[in-house]
Amino acid sequence: MTLRRVAVYAAVLAIAAWVALPLLLITLAAFTPREVLYQWPRPLWPSRFSLDTLAFFLRSTGVWPATLRSVQVAVLTIALSLALAAPAGYALARYAFRGREALQLLILSVKMFPATVLSVPLAVAFIRWGLYDTVVGVAAVHTALSVPFVTAIVTSVFAGVSYELEEAALTLGSSRAQAVLRVTLPMAAPGLAAAAIFTFVLSWNEVFAATILTLDRRTLPALIVDSVLGAGAPLPFRFAGGFFMVVPALIIIFLIRRYLLTLWGVTVR
Amino acid sequence: MAVADADLSAAPARPRVDWTPYLLVVPVVLFLAVFFLYPMAQAIWLAVDDPAGGLTPAHLRRMAADLYFRPALRFTLVITALAVPLQVALGLAIALLVHARFRGHGAFLYLTALPLGISDLAAGLIWLSIFTERGYLNALLQTLGVIAHPVVFLTLERPGWLLAAIVAAEVWRATAIVMVILLAGLQLIPRDYAETAAVFGAGPWQTLRHVILPLLRPSLQTALIIRTILAFQLFATVVALAGRQVPVLAGEAYFWYALYRSPQVASAYAVLILLLSGAVTWVYLRGLAPRAGEGRA
């Protein structure tokens, strides 16, 4: 083994440990008995594990409804984002048209100025529109925040489906819409599914807008922030909450690992 | 882009304007007008609107006169200045490692990309389990015999530790985004460039400095812009680790809206974040723009 390769593997191990260790520790904390979390001296590795920290979190007031609401908001966000971004992505992939660059700039600017700037004025408007403290209201904002990512991935997915196949369907007598529905969409399906899954993560994790735009009907992150800031939630609640929020992320990043670069690899100009 | 151009050449002379693409983009444009452009304009209007009619600087003054304003601005800028360079350096290192395709690079990429799916709130709670009074850091120090009693790290008495915890959590979480952007950029650089440099006798550092980094400039620019702007929105990580002991701009927007019931001052904070973001984008686009005759000795 050359010195260079030793250096490469040393760096790889150090970085891998830096990423993995905190994940291991929060998992450990979530399965540590509640009283051990307050114990001193505190053992580095708990002598026994238990489910009561997690059970305490899941039984806390509002956690289940908030979890359910988070899922509802995420599903609605996925539906809205795909309905808006799929046609736009198709247009960006297949047509050269005037205003194309302006549209791309608009979409890119959403990626750069997200939740904080939008939430406060929208909260004021939502009270007027009757959308305040509703699942639909939060989903609408999450859709605005995720549209750039969904459009980017949908555009590249459609660009990856060869246009010849669509043309072949056209010469065989189907209309453009039929060709898209029967030929292009099925081939684009895995990429669209990846976009949907990534949208789920964005919405599941979003804190600021959800906290500002809801009061009684909190999403899970909004509920956790609220109970930490307002009620000073106990440590087991916080650790179990952190772990509970991370688990879907681990699964989802695994599912979409092939598309990670497409989602973010869009340069400013 | 390439595909659209190919489509154009396939249909060279179109007699009339084809309205199809416009119909396809109308929904997203309308949606963004209502849920993005409208609130942006509304934020600015709320920040300067006088309930008695006309415009007023009163809300902006109230924001600037608030006890938390200066610390919030200072902490936001300090955290950004500490975290973003670390994220870019570490992200670049990981991207170069993955790009070098050692054995097991696939698993390494997946592991280092994991934080992409982890929220700022969860990251804050994860690092809280390390830095809290009965946390892993204290347990480690006690096991090593360094301390006998737990140290309270996350308190205003130890501002350095508070900042360190926040920066550590932010670097841990957001380096993945930088890494993925830079890796995507690296893959666009033809491999022969680096090989040619090697043929002409350039070492790995020289190749990185004079061939790879200049070609990576657009990706570096994107990563810097996105990370800096998102650092100005920092909220949940700080809340999880420090509560309001470390005020930040987005947090103050939240407190003014939810606690003091003043959408006007909250909007003033939003507008300040907007202005900072715009300024930073402008500086990065100007400062990192490719210069004419770029060859760079």
Side-chain angles (χ1 to χ4, degrees):
Chain A
M1 216 170 178
T2 64
L3 193 65
R4 199 188 137 100
R5 280 181 61 192
V6 174
V8 165
Y9 279 103
V12 163
L13 283 179
I15 292 168
W18 150 257
V19 176
L21 196 60
L23 287 174
L24 175 71
L25 293 178
I26 193 73
T27 310
L28 222 51
F31 289 99
T32 302
R34 265 199 287 165
E35 65 278 6
V36 178
L37 286 174
Y38 293 109
Q39 189 184 314
W40 186 264
R42 162 109 179 258
L44 270 176
W45 190 268
S47 49
R48 62 192 180 84
F49 294 94
S50 91
L51 289 172
D52 44 285
T53 306
L54 271 176
F56 167 69
F57 172 75
L58 293 175
R59 274 200 296 264
S60 302
T61 321
V63 166
W64 268 124
T67 307
L68 190 66
R69 222 170 283 128
S70 270
V71 173
Q72 286 172 340
V73 168
V75 169
L76 200 55
T77 302
I78 292 172
L80 272 171
S81 317
L82 275 180
L84 293 168
Y90 184 81
L92 287 171
R94 289 280 193 260
Y95 293 90
F97 56 95
R98 283 179 69 124
R100 191 169 178 279
E101 310 249 300
L103 177 68
Q104 284 182 314
L105 195 67
L106 171 70
I107 289 172
L108 191 68
S109 58
V110 184
K111 198 193 250 180
M112 299 200 297
F113 299 104
T116 320
V117 184
L118 308 187
S119 306
V120 176
L122 276 180
V124 176
F126 277 12
I127 293 173
R128 226 175 328 151
W129 300 344
L131 280 175
Y132 188 76
D133 209 11
T134 63
V135 163
V136 177
V138 179
V141 179
H142 287 184
T143 302
L145 297 176
S146 46
V147 148
F149 302 95
V150 184
T151 309
I153 193 169
V154 166
T155 305
S156 83
V157 164
F158 280 135
V161 176
S162 92
Y163 186 54
E164 278 76 41
L165 287 170
E166 232 172 281
E167 278 182 323
L170 289 176
T171 44
L172 292 176
S174 74
S175 71
R176 180 101 186 202
Q178 281 173 327
V180 170
L181 283 179
R182 299 232 179 100
V183 179
T184 314
L185 266 187
M187 292 183 69
L192 298 183
I197 290 171
F198 189 72
T199 310
F200 184 93
V201 183
L202 287 180
S203 172
W204 170 260
N205 280 338
E206 202 285 326
V207 189
F208 193 89
T211 314
I212 292 269
L213 295 170
T214 60
L215 195 60
D216 297 320
R217 301 164 63 79
R218 301 276 199 204
T219 64
L220 184 65
L223 178 86
I224 295 178
V225 158
D226 195 40
S227 43
V228 166
L229 266 181
L235 288 181
F237 179 91
R238 302 185 196 198
F239 297 158
F243 174 75
F244 192 69
M245 290 190 66
V246 162
V247 174
L250 303 191
I251 301 166
I252 280 166
I253 297 296
F254 180 76
L255 291 177
I256 60 167
R257 62 198 183 286
R258 272 181 54 210
Y259 295 93
L260 287 176
L261 299 190
T262 327
L263 285 167
W264 277 97
V266 186
T267 49
V268 170
R269 318 192 256 193
Chain B
M1 272 170 137
V3 178
D5 294 344
D7 187 31
L8 259 196
S9 57
R14 220 164 258 204
R16 293 176 299 121
V17 178
D18 186 352
W19 290 104
T20 320
Y22 295 101
L23 286 176
L24 292 173
V25 302
V26 159
V28 82
V29 169
L30 284 181
F31 187 88
L32 289 180
V34 175
F35 289 101
F36 180 69
L37 296 178
Y38 166 80
M40 294 259 280
Q42 190 79 0
I44 298 168
W45 185 78
L46 271 175
V48 296
D49 171 45
D50 189 342
L55 304 178
T56 172
H59 312 307
L60 298 169
R61 283 219 190 98
R62 232 174 124 194
M63 168 181 78
D66 185 57
L67 206 62
Y68 282 101
F69 174 73
R70 277 167 177 280
L73 185 59
R74 196 177 61 234
F75 275 123
T76 305
L77 295 178
V78 167
I79 294 168
T80 307
L82 290 173
V84 172
L86 283 171
Q87 287 163 356
V88 171
L90 194 57
L92 182 63
I94 300 173
L96 287 171
L97 280 172
V98 173
H99 197 58
R101 309 249 150 193
F102 59 92
R103 265 190 68 185
H105 72 270
F108 182 63
L109 172 63
Y110 167 61
L111 179 68
T112 49
L114 274 184
L116 270 182
I118 293 171
S119 67
D120 40 359
L121 175 61
L125 293 170
I126 288 170
W127 284 81
L128 179 71
S129 78
I130 295 172
F131 281 105
T132 192
E133 201 186 333
R134 299 286 155 92
Y136 292 105
L137 182 58
N138 268 325
L140 177 70
L141 292 176
Q142 196 264 338
T143 309
L144 295 175
V146 180
I147 54 168
H149 302 287
V151 181
V152 184
F153 293 112
L154 300 174
T155 161
L156 262 190
E157 319 278 296
R158 294 189 168 87
W161 279 102
L162 267 180
L163 271 183
I166 294 168
V167 169
E170 271 301 291
V171 171
W172 180 78
R173 181 184 73 86
T175 295
I177 297 166
V178 177
M179 181 273 285
V180 166
I181 294 174
L182 295 183
L183 184 57
L186 275 178
Q187 299 197 329
L188 292 178
I189 301 175
R191 289 209 171 234
D192 2 340
Y193 283 28
E195 282 161 18
T196 313
V199 168
F200 283 102
W205 286 114
Q206 284 172 310
T207 309
L208 178 65
R209 171 88 179 69
H210 298 294
V211 180
I212 306 287
L213 283 185
L215 289 169
L216 204 54
R217 199 200 308 257
S219 306
L220 280 167
Q221 209 172 38
T222 308
L224 275 171
I225 291 174
I226 285 180
R227 274 321 309 157
T228 311
I229 288 175
L230 292 183
F232 293 153
Q233 321 250 343
L234 197 64
F235 172 64
T237 315
V238 178
V239 165
L241 283 165
R244 209 183 178 183
Q245 293 183 85
V246 174
V248 285
L249 294 175
E252 291 312 300
Y254 167 78
F255 287 116
W256 275 92
Y257 180 82
L259 203 63
Y260 309 145
R261 312 253 166 230
S262 171
Q264 288 87 3
V265 179
S267 294
Y269 272 104
V271 168
L272 177 63
I273 294 171
L274 191 62
L275 289 177
L276 279 175
S277 306
V280 141
T281 308
W282 186 80
V283 167
Y284 282 143
L285 287 179
R286 290 290 308 259
L288 287 171
R291 282 176 278 277
E294 177 101 60
R296 305 213 341 154

